[in-house]
Amino acid sequence: MKGRSLGAKVVTSLVVSLRKHQRSLDMNRMIEYANTTKSEVNSCYKRLKRHDLFQELETRIMPNTIVNQKAHLLSLQPEVKRLALLIAENFVNNNVEEGKKPATIAGVCF
């Protein structure tokens, strides 16, 4: 990632780590704090994903993650949560509605 600002590299590292551990993040605040731009962070992220070590790392926000978070907030019955998670996993495994926002798919699962 030569030529990129240190701030962009730090934000990219934080984003990858937080998403890997399914933690929430406020990218705009991190970008502002690191004094970098979103385009620099995106460029660093794309270069990182091309590297052999990180190609297998899943950093996308998945629908089942959203289903888990929101089921707790909605105080859903365990059976409803379990079925919504099953539907979300089927959406991902069968590439149904690929390209749709994960929150949209999670909403459909509920």
Side-chain angles (χ1 to χ4, degrees):
M1 290 193 280
K2 295 177 183 175
R4 304 286 174 240
S5 73
L6 179 61
K9 293 175 185 175
V10 168
V11 171
T12 302
S13 299
L14 284 171
V15 167
V16 168
S17 178
L18 289 170
R19 285 197 176 152
K20 173 69 177 151
H21 296 289
Q22 298 180 351
R23 303 277 193 239
S24 62
L25 61 109
D26 186 352
M27 189 182 300
N28 291 330
R29 286 184 61 199
M30 287 192 287
I31 287 171
E32 182 181 330
Y33 182 79
N35 197 22
T36 187
T37 64
K38 193 169 187 173
S39 64
E40 281 185 325
V41 173
N42 288 339
S43 178
C44 284
Y45 177 76
K46 287 177 186 174
R47 288 185 57 128
L48 180 79
K49 288 298 283 186
R50 282 193 297 245
H51 197 279
D52 293 339
L53 288 174
F54 300 101
Q55 285 182 349
E56 297 298 318
L57 182 65
E58 184 60 68
T59 56
R60 295 179 298 168
I61 297 172
M62 302 305 278
N64 54 357
T65 303
I66 296 172
V67 167
N68 260 332
Q69 293 170 347
K70 301 304 177 185
H72 178 70
L73 289 175
L74 295 170
S75 301
L76 296 178
Q77 297 290 329
E79 186 174 319
V80 174
K81 178 183 174 183
R82 185 181 62 77
L83 291 172
L85 282 171
L86 179 66
I87 294 168
E89 289 171 11
N90 283 332
F91 265 81
V92 172
N93 293 340
N94 297 315
N95 299 322
V96 176
E97 296 296 331
E98 182 121 348
K100 294 284 186 188
K101 291 183 181 180
T104 303
I105 295 172
V108 169
C109 294
F110 285 126

